[in-house]
Amino acid sequence: MATVIEQHDDQQQASRWQTFALIAVALAGAITLAMLILTLGHANRERDRALELQRRSYDVMILARTLAGTIARSEASLGRYVISGDSKLGQIYADEWTLAGAQLDRLDLLVEDRAQQRLIDRLRAAYGTRGQELSAIALSTTYHRNRQAYALYYQAGQARALTQIGRTLDALIDGERVLLEQRSAVAHDTVVHSNRIAGGLALFVIALAIGGVVLGWLILRAVGERAEAHAEARAERARAEELASAVEAATQELKVQEAKLRQAQKMDALGQLTGGIAHDFNNMLAVVLGGLELAKRAEAEADVRRHLDSATEGAHRAAALTRRLLMFSREEALTPECLTPRKLVADMRDLLDRTLGDGVKVTVEDATTDWQLFGDRTQMENAILNLAVNARDAMEGRGELTIRTAEARVGADALPRAAAGDYVLLSVTDTGSGMTPEVVERVFEPFFTTKPAGKGTGLGLSQIFGLVGQMGGDVTIRTAPGEGTTVHLFFPRHIAKPVVAPVEADTPAPDQSDEPGTLRILLVEDDPRVLAATMEALRELGHDPIACGDPREAEGLLARHPGIRLIVSDVLMPHITGPELIAALRPRHPDVAVLFVTGFAGEAQAAGFEGHEVLRKPFTLAGLERGVAAALKRADGPVCAAA
């Protein structure tokens, strides 16, 4: 009996050990399986990360080559622009150079390595230096300084910045190639290491499978399913890459077609612009030439004066059209002032009546108190006149035009582009045919017009949109076919600063020689005809002008002629511009007043006009006299008195 009990105990103990063994095998198999899964997952993540780094390296090398090509195309376009003077080539140069800057920014985002980032910083510095060199060439060509442009372009071909860009790009590509090799080696080592671990674990699983076939079979099946999943993932990745390639090809084709369409629209707009300007200028020149010819034939002094006044009015209209074009291109300096809405519209009433004709009834409604706006009077008058003329054309010369001035408090998000605040509201309403949604969507585009060829340039509404945007306001349109049109202009309210009366001091009476009528003036002008005409105009006003045909001689003339109180200078001149001349003279002659005379300010406007009076060409004797007086009295800036 004792032996049976002992055998039973031995069997129970064996069974217990077998159970423990099976549990141990199952537990070891589970742990091994978990380790195998974790190892494979880690290997996959490391491989994916290595592939991502490799792709980034390839993107960096491709983008660097693309950047080099873009810069080369930009400089080639600039060279053709310098030779031919064709503004389209200059625009191509500017577009390509801007694209190169965007590619450089993208390259900066892709690079992660510190050494490569230092190369990007060096490349950006060389790109900025090169941009300044090429901008000087383009500016010289734009101002028709061909000899200077040729010389600068030849020097730019041997400039250090160009060589540095090429060397830096090559170094960047070489460095990325080294990184690619390192990343590939790391990826390979990671995969090999993971494979070794996986192989050892697989052998251990096989050893454990001797004690549990079912468990081993389940593990093998799980491994097989995972392998199939990886195969399917690779197949999906391959299909995704093919789809991305197809999308990229379609995108490139779409960009090409879009560029062709944009070029066609540009050519059509240029044709409309040319016809409209030619029509307007021919009318104005007919008035000028006819008036001068009639003045030659007239015998009575009254008839001569009448014909000369007519020719002068035509010339002023031509100058006003030129100013409109300069305002559209943002090349004309502005003279903002405080404006009262009701007075601005009231002063234009006679002009509107003469311009619109008897078939249009003009009604003015004012709902303002004392609110003011701050802007250029000429631009504001042009905006109102353009809206009125467009309304007359929409009414086919007969109808009712209503101009309203009001005050509005605008909340957040009430206007598409302007912030919340107080606004002066100017509205123009007509009883015309109205506009369709398609026309409203394009109405503010430059050169867009619904008028026949030769009847308009398409500049008016785009100028209004730019003017209101520059002043921080907004434009809205309410219209529908057959219901007329209302254009709302929102201008920010300007709070006028009170004028502080100056404190009178016991100062001696000014010397009579300080009056504007007895000024000694240095006139700097490179055009002999303009120099002679302006000299005569200054003498006619009673001044003592000193001619300077070369800005480089201005310093010597100031030294030889003491007592010069005012410098009247052109802006764009050979060798040195007017603002550059004044900047060079200012340290040695800080008390001399300055009056710039210009018809085309260009980019010098923002860099040298600060604190100085500007007189636009063409000008009258009265305008020149006002410019001289304003240059002498100019202080810290415009001060607005409350209306």
Side-chain angles (χ1 to χ4, degrees), residues 157-173:
Q158 303 174 353
R160 179 182 178 185
L162 178 61
T163 303
Q164 189 172 6
I165 289 175
R167 291 179 177 175
T168 305
L169 284 173
D170 292 338
L172 183 66
I173 293 172

Side-chain angles (χ1 to χ4, degrees), residues 230-308:
H230 281 299
E232 292 178 358
R234 286 193 294 269
E236 290 295 332
R237 186 180 296 113
R239 287 194 292 269
E241 291 176 354
E242 293 178 359
L243 180 60
S245 299
V247 171
E248 183 178 0
T251 302
Q252 294 298 329
E253 179 64 23
L254 181 61
K255 289 181 179 179
V256 171
Q257 297 301 326
E258 183 182 1
K260 291 181 180 179
L261 177 60
R262 187 163 53 249
Q263 180 67 17
Q265 292 175 344
K266 184 186 298 182
M267 295 304 296
D268 180 66
L270 288 176
Q272 294 181 10
L273 175 64
T274 303
I277 293 176
H279 176 268
D280 292 343
F281 263 109
N282 283 335
N283 289 341
M284 298 168 193
L285 291 176
V287 173
V288 174
L289 295 176
L292 294 176
E293 186 174 0
L294 291 174
K296 291 180 180 179
R297 294 174 177 267
E299 296 181 358
E301 182 178 353
D303 293 337
V304 172
R305 183 176 296 278
R306 178 167 54 85
H307 294 315
L308 289 178

Side-chain angles (χ1 to χ4, degrees), residues 346-347 486 492 605:
D347 291 344
T486 299
Q605 169 178 317

Side-chain angles (χ1 to χ4, degrees), residues 351-381:
L351 175 62
L352 291 172
D353 291 338
R354 291 196 307 269
T355 303
L356 302 181
D358 297 334
V360 178
K361 178 183 177 182
V362 180
T363 303
V364 177
E365 299 178 0
D366 177 61
T368 62
T369 55
D370 58 348
W371 287 16
Q372 293 180 318
L373 59 92
F374 190 70
D376 183 85
R377 178 180 294 274
T378 301
Q379 283 191 323
M380 294 295 301
E381 292 176 349

Side-chain angles (χ1 to χ4, degrees), residues 134-188:
L134 298 183
S135 177
I137 298 172
L139 187 62
S140 299
T141 304
T142 301
Y143 296 151
H144 305 294
R145 299 177 180 173
N146 296 331
R147 183 175 298 176
Q148 181 178 351
Y150 294 154
L152 291 175
Y153 186 75
Y154 176 77
Q155 294 175 2
Q158 303 174 353
R160 179 182 178 185
L162 178 61
T163 303
Q164 189 172 6
I165 289 175
R167 291 179 177 175
T168 305
L169 284 173
D170 292 338
L172 183 66
I173 293 172
D174 293 338
E176 202 64 34
R177 187 176 291 111
V178 172
L179 286 176
L180 178 60
E181 294 175 356
Q182 294 175 354
R183 290 165 178 173
S184 300
V186 171
H188 179 266

Side-chain angles (χ1 to χ4, degrees), residues 43-61:
N44 288 331
R45 288 193 297 273
E46 289 296 322
R47 183 189 59 192
D48 292 340
R49 182 174 180 276
L51 290 175
E52 174 63 22
L53 292 176
Q54 291 175 354
R55 184 192 63 78
R56 185 181 292 269
S57 295
Y58 284 125
D59 289 345
V60 169
M61 291 188 289

